[in-house]
Amino acid sequence: MIQAKGLTRRFGDFTAVDQLDLNIERARIFGFLGPNGCGKTTAIRMLTGSLQASEGSVSVLGTALPGGAEALRLKVGYMTQKFSLYESLTVAENLEFVARIYALKGSERRVRLRELLATYGLEQKAKALAGSLSGGQKQRLALAAAVLHRPELLFLDEPTSAVDPENRREFWEQLFDLCDQGTSILVSTHYMDEAERCHNIAILKEGQKRADGTPEALMEAMDACVLELECDGLRKIKETLLGFDEVKSAAQLGTRLRVLIRRDVADPEAWIRQHISTPDAIIDRVRPSLEDVFVTSTGARHDA
Amino acid sequence: MLSLSRIMAILYKELLQLKRDKMTFGMVVMIPLVQLVLFGYAINTNVRDIPVGVVDQARNGLSATLIDMVQATQVVRVTQYYDDIETAEAEIRAARISAVLIIPHDLAARVARSPAIGLESPPTGDRPSARPVAQWVVDGSDTVVAGAIKSLRAMPLTEVLRRPPNAQTPTFETTLLYNPAQRTVVNIVPGLVAVILTMTMVMFTSAAIVREREQGNLEMIINTPVRSMELMLGKIAPFLVIGLLQVALILGLGRLLFSIPFNGSLLTLTLATILFIVASLTLGLVLSTIARTQLQSMQMTIFILLPSILLSGFMFPYEGMPEVAQWIAEALPATHFMRMIRGVVLRDASLLEMYRDALWLTGFCIAGLGIAALRFKKHLD
């Protein structure tokens, strides 16, 4: 599906994407997880052929890039991070424009347009200007335009950054429908809950891939165990614990403190009790989340 | 391979957007209309009724007749009389008058000896036997005004003696073709076509790609099968039609309001205009690939527009400019079109007779379109 080796992109002195290796399978949803500015968009632009790699090789759907980019356009769909259809055209006019670009003829075009308006719940809005739509409607229109030519591979760059949680859930249902019909999807996100829905994810930080695999496997293989503390004076305890190398991260969640401790500490509960002066603290070992994986693999100390 | 259906898709989209953009749509009609009426009436190089003052030291019937004769030329209009020269010069400095006519007290004696009176044939010899009858002191900063008053220098004085003006035999006979009445507007209106087209065509297209970039549409477009040349062609095609409409509007109204003759062939006019419109559009597209924001594209348009007005021969004759300025003028499409449209409208020149300008514009179009498509490709990075 997508194979990349040593993919690198530099802008002047700044390396946006650094030696990225990828192997993405067919009919799966693959996620790029990372904070803003970690190179997700740059990586996607290189994979779609709209940006040249400084180094490395990419092959998408069996076509080597650059060179095959124009031929790939017919098989690939791309939904940009920012809404990129025409706000001064109506929903139907936008879709019609895209359909003409992909050379869909007369009746075929009308059938496909009706189908898309129905699938993405835009029938009522067909004659409304795209600029007047809500965030969720814009996003559905953008998705409809991106899949209009039935691409084998779909790139989505932070597709849900401008919509509310309910729309996000619906949007993901639609992605799974597309995936079920055989479309491979690559999606970038900075939301943990979204990343958790992907079949496979790659965690990016400062242009480098820090970990990849299924979310479950990543949580399983995490190089730390997770404990939650409940007691008084959490802010102070957090400061104390962060002073030790054994503690990878400590973050407060309401009345509890979530602490990530390196695997090589034999008995983490006892280790914590040793280092805090609050004997009545309740300490539980909990299941790791994707956020914990993210924190451990990017080495970021979560000081939330 | 270029795909006609993709070009049509972009063209159709541009038309839809244009239809919704009331402001641009209004400018298409209003810019030519307003400029035609404004410049058609306002610009006049035949200066008349220049306000002047008189210092009459003679104060007799003769001086009064002289003043009447000067006014009768319609070049000047006497607005003030002064007692002394100092006051008059102060008034010139204050710009209340442009010149002052000083009539000396010995006017009668000077007139009697003046050859302009036509009583005797002028004596031969190096030494002037007579002196001028009066003096003009002129604010010479505006060369056109000064020139008009200088033209009064050899005014015949035969009427002073109530004799019919003695028809002098001129050295040269002049036959004025194409604009015998010497109306400035005849030269201005065809020139306005070039200026207005430069303004609207370059402005609309220079904003075209930049707007897509600013609003993020470009990122979507470049991930579709649309090729850069298709995008360029689809974007400029609607403006070709708009440009032709503007030309028809200007020349039609010019004929109606100012009786501008149309002597040439319609086919030649259309071909020349299409060449120039395409040249202006490609120029706009090139600017569009350089500018990053719509404000920048607007500034670049003005950068092109000013020399197109001042150096193209619209305002001042091309022949009067120094050689370097002529080179710059040659680089501007407007200069070539200025010659062509005046040629076809006023002189019925054929395309063959103007082949240099036509070839130059063709070359400009091809080069411009190539550069725009090339630069657009590079810009994806």
Side-chain angles (χ1 to χ4, degrees):
Chain A
M1 191 86 245
I2 298 182
Q3 258 142 8
K5 254 196 129 50
L7 197 58
T8 302
R9 173 70 206 202
R10 282 182 282 270
F11 296 101
D13 286 342
F14 174 69
T15 306
V17 172
D18 192 6
Q19 295 293 326
L20 187 64
D21 295 331
L22 289 171
N23 188 3
I24 300 173
E25 293 168 54
R26 193 173 285 274
R28 284 279 183 277
I29 300 183
F30 187 94
F32 275 160
L33 175 65
N36 290 331
C38 72
K40 298 189 296 268
T41 300
T42 307
I44 289 183
R45 283 181 180 169
M46 282 193 283
L47 296 178
T48 59
S50 59
L51 197 64
Q52 296 232 343
S54 308
E55 264 174 47
S57 63
V58 192
S59 139
V60 176
L61 300 168
T63 310
L65 288 177
E70 286 300 325
L72 264 183
R73 303 265 189 247
L74 287 170
K75 300 191 222 163
V76 170
Y78 181 28
M79 183 174 152
T80 52
Q81 188 169 354
K82 188 175 166 277
F83 183 71
S84 58
L85 290 163
Y86 296 96
E87 303 216 331
S88 59
L89 299 189
T90 67
V91 169
E93 285 164 354
N94 266 305
L95 290 177
E96 179 147 354
F97 169 64
V98 177
R100 281 170 190 266
I101 294 270
Y102 285 103
L104 259 64
K105 296 274 181 296
S107 62
E108 189 191 359
R109 186 167 71 217
R110 278 192 295 279
V111 170
R112 182 69 178 140
L113 252 57
R114 255 205 306 279
E115 201 174 284
L116 286 169
L117 288 173
T119 311
Y120 296 100
L122 292 166
E123 285 151 313
Q124 306 294 320
K125 289 283 175 186
K127 289 199 164 59
L129 292 184
S132 70
L133 299 180
S134 71
Q137 288 163 342
K138 274 186 185 170
Q139 175 216 40
R140 294 205 298 274
L141 172 59
L143 182 61
V147 301
L148 188 140
H149 58 295
R150 297 197 171 84
E152 291 175 47
L153 173 62
L154 184 59
F155 290 97
L156 306 163
D157 193 1
E158 298 198 1
T160 58
S161 51
V163 299
D164 58 53
E166 193 183 337
N167 273 310
R168 243 158 79 185
R169 204 170 54 237
E170 266 174 44
F171 185 78
W172 274 88
E173 288 304 311
Q174 277 154 350
L175 292 191
F176 280 112
D177 284 342
L178 285 168
C179 186
D180 192 50
Q181 290 155 24
T183 313
S184 314
I185 297 173
L186 191 150
V187 57
S188 78
T189 181
H190 54 248
Y191 293 118
M192 300 296 162
D193 61 325
E194 267 186 6
E196 227 157 326
R197 295 172 195 257
C198 298
H199 294 110
N200 282 288
I201 58 169
I203 294 176
L204 297 184
K205 175 89 192 288
E206 286 161 2
Q208 290 170 337
K209 187 174 72 177
R210 296 298 173 89
D212 64 350
T214 66
E216 296 74 26
L218 285 171
M219 288 184 247
E220 207 61 44
M222 200 176 76
D223 183 32
C225 49
V226 187
L227 297 113
E228 285 192 350
L229 264 80
E230 205 170 344
C231 62
D232 293 332
L234 284 178
R235 299 308 291 170
K236 199 145 185 285
I237 294 172
K238 181 186 142 187
E239 289 305 315
T240 319
L241 288 177
L242 280 176
F244 294 98
D245 275 350
E246 285 87 347
V247 176
K248 285 195 160 239
S249 145
Q252 193 168 348
L253 304 165
T255 57
R256 287 164 304 159
L257 188 69
R258 197 174 176 98
V259 185
L260 268 62
I261 294 186
R262 281 202 344 227
R263 269 267 160 85
D264 52 16
V265 176
D267 184 353
E269 286 93 339
W271 187 89
I272 286 183
R273 287 203 187 280
Q274 250 176 44
H275 291 92
I276 60 172
S277 50
T278 324
D280 60 338
I282 306 163
I283 303 180
D284 292 318
R285 195 187 276 240
V286 296
R287 198 179 154 270
S289 72
L290 199 56
E291 183 163 1
D292 300 325
V293 175
F294 181 76
V295 169
T296 28
S297 55
T298 59
R301 285 220 152 157
H302 222 269
D303 297 326
Chain B
M1 261 308 286
L2 294 182
S3 145
L4 189 65
S5 68
R6 287 199 292 261
I7 296 176
M8 290 307 286
I10 290 167
L11 196 154
Y12 182 65
K13 180 218 68 157
E14 287 292 319
L15 288 178
L16 278 175
Q17 285 185 307
L18 203 63
K19 197 180 84 184
R20 303 252 156 79
D21 186 357
K22 292 281 187 301
M23 187 71 194
T24 303
F25 205 66
M27 287 208 301
V28 166
V29 180
M30 290 313 286
I31 287 180
L33 206 67
V34 171
Q35 296 207 353
L36 176 74
V37 173
L38 198 68
F39 294 153
Y41 282 114
I43 299 181
N44 196 345
T45 49
N46 301 332
V47 188
R48 277 167 185 272
D49 291 337
I50 302 167
V52 297
V54 172
V55 177
D56 185 357
Q57 293 166 339
R59 292 180 202 262
N60 52 25
L62 195 57
S63 66
T65 313
L66 184 64
I67 292 167
D68 284 345
M69 281 171 59
V70 166
Q71 291 216 72
T73 61
Q74 293 186 359
V75 173
V76 296
R77 182 166 44 87
V78 176
T79 56
Q80 298 288 334
Y81 291 85
Y82 306 104
D83 291 334
D84 58 290
I85 297 168
E86 284 73 28
T87 326
E89 281 183 350
E91 291 287 282
I92 291 178
R93 199 159 43 243
R96 270 186 279 275
I97 51 172
S98 295
V100 60
L101 177 63
I102 301 160
I103 302 174
H105 50 84
D106 60 344
L107 176 70
R110 287 175 184 238
V111 167
R113 300 194 56 183
S114 170
I117 200 101
L119 277 182
E120 58 199 51
S121 54
T124 49
D126 291 348
R127 287 193 45 195
S129 60
R131 289 182 294 164
V133 299
Q135 185 188 11
W136 279 105
V137 176
V138 187
D139 171 6
S141 43
D142 188 321
T143 51
V144 179
V145 171
I149 292 178
K150 271 155 85 178
S151 74
L152 293 175
R153 272 195 304 194
M155 191 181 79
L157 288 173
T158 50
E159 270 176 73
V160 176
L161 302 179
R162 306 197 194 289
R163 284 159 42 116
N166 187 5
Q168 282 180 310
T169 312
T171 315
F172 299 108
E173 172 148 345
T174 345
T175 310
L176 297 168
L177 293 175
Y178 311 122
N179 187 7
Q182 291 291 284
R183 292 187 302 138
T184 312
V185 72
V186 169
N187 207 31
I188 287 289
V189 170
L192 257 189
V193 174
V195 170
I196 290 174
L197 282 183
T198 303
M199 185 155 147
T200 51
M201 296 295 108
V202 176
M203 185 165 68
F204 289 151
T205 42
S206 70
I209 300 266
V210 182
R211 189 170 53 229
E212 301 241 343
R213 187 193 300 282
E214 269 190 335
Q215 296 179 353
N217 311 123
L218 207 57
E219 205 185 348
M220 186 262 301
I221 290 279
I222 62 180
N223 279 290
T224 67
V226 173
R227 285 158 196 274
S228 44
M229 192 58 96
E230 293 165 354
L231 183 66
M232 303 285 159
L233 289 175
K235 277 187 127 7
I236 65 175
F239 293 112
L240 186 63
V241 179
I242 289 175
L244 286 172
L245 281 178
Q246 288 185 322
V247 176
L249 189 72
I250 298 165
L251 292 180
L253 270 179
R255 182 161 199 168
L256 211 69
L257 295 180
F258 305 108
S259 340
I260 307 298
F262 180 73
N263 300 322
S265 94
L266 205 59
L267 181 70
T268 311
L269 174 72
T270 313
L271 287 176
T273 310
I274 289 177
L275 261 182
F276 177 62
I277 292 176
V278 175
S280 299
L281 292 174
T282 54
L283 179 61
L285 279 180
V286 172
L287 296 185
S288 185
T289 61
I290 298 169
R292 311 302 292 184
T293 64
Q294 290 195 60
L295 182 67
Q296 284 179 3
S297 79
M298 198 60 83
Q299 288 168 331
M300 289 185 197
T301 303
I302 292 171
F303 185 75
I304 297 291
L305 185 62
L306 273 181
S308 294
I309 293 176
L310 297 175
L311 300 185
S312 64
F314 173 64
M315 301 281 286
F316 313 108
Y318 174 86
E319 292 73 17
M321 296 190 296
E323 205 177 337
V324 178
Q326 287 185 348
W327 293 341
I328 298 172
E330 284 292 323
L332 294 165
T335 309
H336 297 271
F337 184 61
M338 197 68 70
R339 285 185 207 137
M340 289 177 85
I341 186 136
R342 282 177 175 161
V344 64
V345 171
L346 304 177
R347 303 195 305 270
D348 186 20
S350 71
L351 218 49
L352 209 63
E353 286 163 314
M354 305 181 290
Y355 77 97
R356 280 168 204 279
D357 293 312
L359 273 183
W360 195 92
L361 284 180
T362 313
F364 189 93
C365 295
I366 296 169
L369 213 55
I371 291 171
L374 221 75
R375 282 199 53 89
F376 176 67
K377 261 231 151 60
K378 278 177 82 177
H379 260 239
L380 306 194
D381 262 27

